[in-house]
Amino acid sequence: MVGITENPGFLHQCKKHGCDVLVLPMIFMEGITHDPSFIDNQLGLLFNAPGGFSFRPLIVQVIGTNQDQARIAMDHLASYDLDGINLNLGCPSSKLSKSSAGAYMLDAPEKRDGMITTLERYSPFPFSIKIRLLGGRNPDVGRSKAFCKSLEGSGIDWMSIHGRTRKQGYSGVARWDIIKEIHDFSSIPLIGNGDIKHALQGNELVKSSHADAFMIGRAAIADPKVFDATGSAPSSLEVDLAIKLGLYEDLFGFLEKYSATRVDHFLSLHERKRWLLYFSRGARNARIFRARVSSIKDLESLEDLVTAIMTRDDNNNENKSPSC
Ligand SMILES: Cc1cc2nc3c(=O)[nH]c(=O)nc-3n(C[C@H](O)[C@H](O)[C@H](O)COP(=O)(O)O)c2cc1C
């Protein structure tokens, strides 16, 4: 996820709490060919992590429309020991409409099929795609199924489907019923995606044959512990604020183990405030805290605020397990 999964501290939390496979945010193949330093730095941080922490299995997600650049990008990535390459055919951003990249490529069959064939051939690692359902304001079940059927025999190793169309963006609900219809006939392993709040919910969908596996996006941003399926089903995801702030300490604690210059950009005040706002989502009584975080202008005040909440007497006396 752009702005989220490039952060080694966050990826480390997801893995620690049970996420099986990590996927980096989409990166333009044209960008890799013109200036590979961004992806090189990113992979450098993950393959040389503090304490030898393992960020594997690790998948690089690419996006783009130029097949020549795709081949060069694959050549470059071949020097890393990755676990897969994933093609983004699901990003609905209007910025991609001109180039027909991301989810726009789903409606440009020649470009789409050409890129799938090229990457399937030149990817040095298992190759997969991420798509949305086809259609307009509503999913077109027939077209979605026909496209997925056309992928049989294409050689792709797996596909993930977000159960909404490009036009829907994030509106409505993810159509797991359609994902299941596709799963019923597909010989390609299918990862379902959309609106999963917790790994236990995802496991139920897998058990009822909706997909072979599931992917969690937004819920993990507010709490990477959603990947932990070892306990019983939470009756509520509302958690004490101090517990959520523990996630912040954990994320930045991990980053601070790197030699500072390598992760400077992840340690800024802006970044710290951003993660506090993410992690305090869904926490009890977080409204005032969030307003205070937004107004803070220096690191010291931010740290004071976090410390004050984490050491508050009422927190110390409270049972610190989530209220769920
Ligand atoms: C901030 C943000 C960034 C995202 N970036 C990507 C991305 O780089 N590649 C991708 O395939 N999907 C991306 N997505 C979409 C998610 O992977 C996922 O498909 C979508 O949010 C639906 O799943 P969810 O309901 O579990 O969030 C992004 C979503 C968000 C909220």
Side-chain angles (χ1 to χ4, degrees), residues 11 20 38 98 130 167 209 212 226 229 231 243 280 283 287 302:
L11 287 177
D20 293 320
F38 183 80
K98 256 201 185 140
K130 171 144 185 271
K167 275 223 168 96
S209 294
D212 297 297
V226 294
I243 291 172
S280 58
R287 204 171 50 83
L302 193 74

Side-chain angles (χ1 to χ4, degrees), residues 89 106 112-113 116 129-134 140-156 158-164 175 178-191 210:
L89 295 171
L106 288 175
R112 175 193 74 197
D113 297 345
I116 290 174
I129 60 174
K130 171 144 185 271
I131 65 171
R132 279 179 173 245
L133 294 174
L134 280 77
D140 183 330
V141 183
R143 274 184 68 212
S144 302
K145 287 167 77 172
F147 171 53
C148 292
K149 257 213 168 83
S150 77
L151 294 168
E152 303 276 315
S154 65
I156 63 176
W158 53 266
M159 63 178 158
S160 64
I161 305 181
H162 177 186
R164 292 183 174 85
R175 292 288 301 273
I178 305 177
I179 294 176
K180 182 173 188 319
E181 280 194 49
I182 294 168
H183 183 238
D184 283 345
F185 70 76
S186 179
S187 63
I188 300 171
L190 196 164
I191 300 183
H210 283 73

Side-chain angles (χ1 to χ4, degrees), residues 1-5 23-27 61 86 88-91 130 132 162 164 170 174 193-197 215-219 221 278:
M1 288 185 283
V2 175
I4 307 291
T5 57
V23 186
L24 292 184
M26 61 180 187
I27 181 162
Q61 187 187 62
N86 180 261
N88 183 315
L89 295 171
C91 180
K130 171 144 185 271
R132 279 179 173 245
H162 177 186
R164 292 183 174 85
Y170 280 93
N193 171 234
D195 298 346
I196 297 183
K197 300 276 183 274
M215 190 175 265
I216 301 182
R218 289 166 297 172
I221 303 176
Y278 288 144

Side-chain angles (χ1 to χ4, degrees), residues 18-315:
C19 177
D20 293 320
V21 180
L22 303 169
V23 186
L24 292 184
M26 61 180 187
I27 181 162
F28 280 90
M29 291 182 277
E30 290 82 348
I32 298 178
T33 61
H34 288 131
D35 177 10
S37 62
F38 183 80
I39 188 75
D40 287 345
N41 287 338
Q42 197 168 33
L43 292 172
L45 287 177
L46 299 180
F47 284 119
N48 301 288
F53 186 84
S54 167
F55 285 97
R56 310 274 305 270
L58 183 68
I59 293 179
V60 168
Q61 187 187 62
V62 294
I63 186 166
T65 55
N66 183 311
Q67 292 179 34
D68 294 331
Q69 310 259 353
R71 280 201 294 270
I72 301 170
M74 290 306 111
D75 263 3
H76 184 76
L77 292 173
S79 57
Y80 292 97
D81 188 16
L82 298 172
D83 298 288
I85 298 290
N86 180 261
L87 172 65
N88 183 315
L89 295 171
C91 180
S93 167
S94 56
K95 288 183 198 151
L96 301 173
S97 67
K98 256 201 185 140
S99 62
S100 303
Y104 290 88
M105 228 185 190
L106 288 175
D107 295 320
E110 264 183 39
K111 272 191 182 176
R112 175 193 74 197
D113 297 345
M115 184 57 84
I116 290 174
T117 307
T118 298
L119 284 176
E120 202 285 314
R121 184 160 171 208
Y122 291 99
S123 168
F125 310 108
F127 171 61
S128 57
I129 60 174
K130 171 144 185 271
I131 65 171
R132 279 179 173 245
L133 294 174
L134 280 77
R137 292 197 187 287
N138 291 301
D140 183 330
V141 183
R143 274 184 68 212
S144 302
K145 287 167 77 172
F147 171 53
C148 292
K149 257 213 168 83
S150 77
L151 294 168
E152 303 276 315
S154 65
I156 63 176
D157 289 280
W158 53 266
M159 63 178 158
S160 64
I161 305 181
H162 177 186
R164 292 183 174 85
T165 67
R166 168 176 63 74
K167 275 223 168 96
Q168 281 182 300
Y170 280 93
S171 65
V173 292
R175 292 288 301 273
W176 277 87
D177 55 325
I178 305 177
I179 294 176
K180 182 173 188 319
E181 280 194 49
I182 294 168
H183 183 238
D184 283 345
F185 70 76
S186 179
S187 63
I188 300 171
L190 196 164
I191 300 183
N193 171 234
D195 298 346
I196 297 183
K197 300 276 183 274
H198 196 280
L200 292 161
Q201 185 192 352
N203 283 345
E204 286 305 313
L205 287 161
V206 170
K207 260 191 226 150
S208 53
S209 294
H210 283 73
D212 297 297
F214 59 91
M215 190 175 265
I216 301 182
R218 289 166 297 172
I221 303 176
D223 192 345
K225 288 184 183 165
V226 294
F227 290 111
D228 183 355
T230 54
S232 54
S235 58
S236 151
L237 291 174
E238 194 187 64
V239 178
D240 185 78
L241 183 56
I243 291 172
K244 297 301 288 292
L245 296 193
L247 293 170
Y248 165 86
E249 300 268 292
D250 189 39
L251 188 155
F252 284 93
F254 185 81
L255 287 177
E256 280 159 5
K257 289 186 195 151
Y258 278 99
S259 71
T261 48
R262 299 180 65 204
V263 288
D264 263 357
H265 52 298
F266 290 121
L267 294 173
S268 66
L269 177 65
H270 174 78
E271 277 296 293
R272 287 172 185 272
K273 287 170 68 171
R274 203 163 67 91
W275 284 101
L276 277 175
L277 293 177
Y278 288 144
F279 286 154
S280 58
R281 275 184 198 162
R284 254 196 310 272
N285 303 324
R287 204 171 50 83
I288 299 169
F289 170 78
R290 292 167 65 82
R292 282 183 68 188
V293 168
S294 300
S295 68
I296 279 178
K297 303 254 182 310
D298 64 278
L299 189 55
E300 203 183 338
S301 310
L302 193 74
E303 293 294 310
D304 286 349
L305 175 63
V306 172
T307 308
I309 290 170
M310 293 198 70
T311 55
R312 240 175 21 201
D313 280 350
D314 51 350
N315 285 323

